[in-house]
Amino acid sequence: MERAKSIIAALAVAACLPYLVLKLVWLTGGHLGIPEGSRLLDSGATMWTLNALTVAMDGTVIVLVLALTRPWGRRLPAAVLALPLWIACGLLGPIAVAFPLQTLYGALSGSTGSSGGDGGADKLLEAWVWTLVYTGFTVQALTLSSLFVLYVRNRWGALLRSPLHLGETEPDSTPRWHRYGLSAAVLVALPCVAGHAVRMADGSTDSRITDATFLLYVFAALAAVAKLLRTGGAERRSKSRLWPTLAAAWTGSGVLACWGGWLLLGALTGGGRTLGQETTGAALLTYSCQTLVGLLLATLAAPRLRHRAQLSTPRPVSGATARQHA
């Protein structure tokens, strides 16, 4: 297993390098992969700042890979790893779903796929750049999630193997603020769902696949968090395990919050307009609601997860109890 982890870690780091190299070239004034007439050549300080931010984000992936595979990573507090891993899963999750589907569609239909333009003055990047970068992101998603699963299994295996509902060890009813919070998340999700649905009706095939992917994560996150919050009361234990629901809630809330926030940042700073991102009032509403839904669902799920972790942690045996069992 250690050899397998080392190989996966090496693949993850290798998948980060093309993107880092391209971004560093652009930050230092190079134009590798940027054709003549591209809007990126006149993007100004905003795109430079966003490029620097994405370099830091991709570098963080390498740090996370080391934390998930090195002995010192086992000693880190859970909260130190949780936030950057949640963000990484959220940003990479849609790419791992949408990009293979877009590539498959392009191969079957003969389309060149999403190349940032029609090959003329509106073309943002050379086609090979999109393929190289998004292939790297997909490999990052697969390798980082594999390392994350192995890490969590080794550190919190008892929690993941526990039933979804514990029966008599859980309260008899869902706290009122959980019900209100979940209802609010559903209401806020409605404009988000409507926005992606409208864009699916009017957009290209690539954008339809992207919007359909976001809709998939919206429904999966809402269903998973609702299932996670539902308590068993005095009923017998659930036969379902915790980990599938927890994984869906974790990834879904991260995708909604992090991608919604990233799209909102691009729209408000003007960087998204340079990349051809829609920045209308309807789009801003969609991004804002998507971000808020993700944050609401994460806020609801986090206390539930902490409670389950406490129940799954073995309690120290006192001296008196030890003598009774001796």
Side-chain angles (χ1 to χ4, degrees), residues 26-40:
W26 296 342
L27 287 172
T28 54
H31 298 156
L32 178 63
I34 304 178
E36 293 293 333
S38 172
R39 295 190 300 273
L40 293 176

Side-chain angles (χ1 to χ4, degrees), residues 28-61:
T28 54
H31 298 156
L32 178 63
I34 304 178
E36 293 293 333
S38 172
R39 295 190 300 273
L40 293 176
L41 297 176
D42 301 316
S43 55
T46 298
M47 284 303 301
W48 191 95
T49 303
L50 291 177
N51 281 333
L53 179 59
T54 53
V55 166
M57 292 163 63
D58 213 43
T60 303
V61 172

Side-chain angles (χ1 to χ4, degrees), residues 128-207:
W128 65 265
V129 175
W130 298 97
T131 302
L132 179 67
V133 167
Y134 280 91
T135 299
F137 284 157
T138 304
V139 174
Q140 286 180 44
L142 296 175
T143 52
L144 188 63
S145 60
S146 299
L147 293 173
F148 186 30
V149 167
L150 293 174
Y151 180 93
V152 172
R153 189 185 67 175
N154 291 334
R155 188 167 178 178
W156 297 290
L159 172 64
L160 297 183
R161 291 189 297 270
S162 63
L164 177 59
H165 299 300
L166 299 179
E168 68 278 359
T169 61
E170 293 181 312
D172 291 333
S173 61
T174 303
R176 181 176 299 178
W177 74 274
H178 279 180
R179 296 197 297 269
Y180 291 160
L182 188 59
S183 299
V186 172
L187 290 176
V188 175
L190 293 179
C192 174
V193 171
H196 286 298
V198 169
R199 290 167 57 173
M200 283 182 63
D202 299 333
S204 64
T205 301
D206 280 352
S207 65

Side-chain angles (χ1 to χ4, degrees), residues 215-240:
L215 287 177
L216 172 66
Y217 278 111
V218 170
F219 296 134
L222 287 171
V225 173
K227 194 173 181 181
L228 189 65
L229 296 179
R230 190 176 62 217
T231 54
E235 300 173 3
R236 63 185 178 87
R237 287 191 174 201
S238 170
K239 294 182 179 179
S240 302

